Amino acid sequence: KVEKKGNVAVITIEHMQAMNALSTDMYTQLEEAFDTVAAMEDAYCVVLTGSSRVNKKGKTVQSFVAGADISQMSTMTVEEGKFFGNNSNRVCWKIENFKRPVIAAINGFCLGGGVELAMSCDIRLASENATFGQPEVGLGITPGCGGTQRLARLVGAGMAKQMIYTARNIKAADAYRIGLVNEVYSAEVDADGNVVKSAQEVMLAAAQKMAATIAKNAPIAVRNCKKAINDGISLPIEKAVEVEEKLFGDCFETHDQKEGMACFLSREKPKPKAVFTNN
C-alpha cells in the first residue's frame, strides 16, 4: 500500500495471512510500489513499514516482515533458488540505491528476508517489541538477499557471524546495542501506567517526523549525500573523497543551492526559509 503524506511517501507491506512474508509476487509488488514513489516528483523521503497486525491461524501477531515465503521456497530447485535470490537481491539493491532516503519502521517480527530488506534501507527505527534474526541455517540454507554482506558491514563480522551461525533472534534493545537499528521506541504511558500510545504508534510517528525533517532539506543535496556514502564506503579513502568531490560540485548552479545560500546570507529579519524545488 502506498500513501503520500506531504512530501513523504509511506509504503506498507500487507501480506496478511503470511506474517508479511516475501514471496516472488510480494517482491514484484514491492518493486512496483517503489516505482510508484519514484514517479512522485514531490516525494522526498520514504517510510517503509509492515502492517501492524497480521492474522495467522486465528492468532493476532505483529510483523514487519517475518522472512521469505518458506512455503514457496521449500520445493525450489537449485536454479529456482538462484532465481529467487537474484530477484530479491535486485529489489533490495534498488531500494538501497533509491534516489530518496528510505526509513524502515520496524514493528514485531523482522526475520531473515525482513532483516535483509531493512538493511537495504538508509535508516532503521524499531519499536521495543521488534525481534530480529537470520534463521536461515536452521532451515538448511544461507541468507540469500545480502544478509551475509550487509549485516557484517553494519555490525561487524564477528557479531554478524554469531547471529547467522546460531540462528538465534535478538530483541530490539540488542539490535540497537550492536548498531543494527538507529533508535528504539517504547510505549507512551500516563501517570497511572496506562498505555496512551503503543510502541508501534510512537515509532511510526517518529519515523514520519524524521522523514518530514529530511524532506524539508534540499532534495538534490540529500540524494547526492546518499550516493556519496553508498558509492564511497567500500572504496579507499583517496578514491572515496573523489566521489564526494564530484557530487559536491554537481550541487552548484542548482536552484536549491542558490536558494539555500541566498536565504542563509539574507539580512532580512527574520531570515526567509529556503523553499527547495528539486531543481
Side-chain angles (χ1 to χ4, degrees):
K1 181 174 67 176
V2 179
E3 302 172 278
K4 188 164 172 293
K5 300 180 179 180
N7 295 118
V8 176
V10 180
I11 298 176
T12 305
I13 299 168
E14 292 189 336
H15 191 5
M16 301 299 285
Q17 297 303 316
M19 296 173 66
N20 293 343
L22 293 171
S23 61
T24 300
D25 180 58
M26 286 297 294
Y27 275 114
T28 298
Q29 291 186 46
L30 187 58
E31 184 172 23
E32 289 172 351
F34 274 90
D35 287 342
T36 297
V37 175
M40 298 176 179
E41 293 185 2
D42 60 344
Y44 300 146
C45 192
V46 183
V47 174
L48 175 63
T49 192
S51 54
S52 60
R53 296 196 176 276
V54 184
N55 293 321
K56 178 69 174 176
K57 295 181 179 178
K59 296 181 180 180
T60 301
V61 296
Q62 297 177 324
S63 181
F64 172 70
V65 169
D69 192 333
I70 305 303
S71 62
Q72 180 186 15
M73 297 174 66
S74 63
T75 58
M76 285 181 179
T77 65
V78 170
E79 290 305 314
E80 288 170 337
K82 289 180 179 178
F83 175 82
F84 186 87
N86 179 268
N87 184 59
S88 57
N89 267 301
R90 179 177 53 78
V91 176
C92 283
W93 180 258
K94 184 171 187 173
I95 294 170
E96 186 171 55
N97 293 280
F98 197 63
K99 289 188 176 181
R100 282 86 155 178
V102 183
I103 300 172
I106 303 161
N107 184 58
F109 290 113
C110 182
L111 306 174
V115 176
E116 292 169 321
L117 178 62
M119 290 191 297
S120 71
C121 300
D122 297 280
I123 297 167
R124 286 157 293 283
L125 307 181
S127 66
E128 62 185 352
N129 61 4
T131 301
F132 300 83
Q134 297 278 178
E136 287 86 353
V137 296
L139 299 169
I141 59 174
T142 70
C145 190
T148 59
Q149 303 306 308
R150 290 190 180 94
L151 189 60
R153 286 164 169 76
L154 279 171
V155 306
M159 187 58 68
K161 288 176 180 179
Q162 179 178 318
M163 283 185 64
I164 292 169
Y165 296 174
T166 63
R168 294 181 65 180
N169 296 341
I170 62 172
K171 298 297 184 182
D174 287 324
Y176 174 75
R177 177 178 58 81
I178 66 175
L180 181 55
V181 300
N182 297 64
E183 296 287 346
V184 177
Y185 297 88
S186 302
E188 184 180 311
V189 297
D190 61 20
D192 297 321
N194 300 311
V195 175
V196 177
K197 289 183 180 179
S198 68
Q200 191 236 358
E201 290 173 318
V202 174
M203 180 267 300
L204 271 176
Q208 292 179 14
K209 182 179 180 180
M210 181 183 291
T213 300
I214 292 170
K216 289 179 181 178
N217 291 315
I220 293 172
V222 173
R223 180 171 70 237
N224 284 10
C225 286
K226 175 171 180 172
K227 184 170 177 58
I229 294 170
N230 284 357
D231 291 359
I233 196 165
S234 61
L235 297 175
I237 188 65
E238 66 271 15
K239 295 296 182 182
V241 293
E242 290 178 7
V243 172
E244 181 184 273
E245 180 182 294
K246 179 185 182 304
L247 291 163
F248 168 74
D250 288 346
C251 292
F252 286 83
E253 296 190 14
T254 64
H255 167 273
D256 287 355
Q257 175 258 328
K258 293 176 182 177
E259 171 79 0
M261 293 189 177
C263 288
F264 178 83
L265 295 172
S266 174
R267 295 180 180 272
E268 294 180 36
K269 301 293 182 180
K271 283 191 177 184
K273 292 184 178 180
V275 178
F276 298 117
T277 62
N278 199 25
N279 291 305

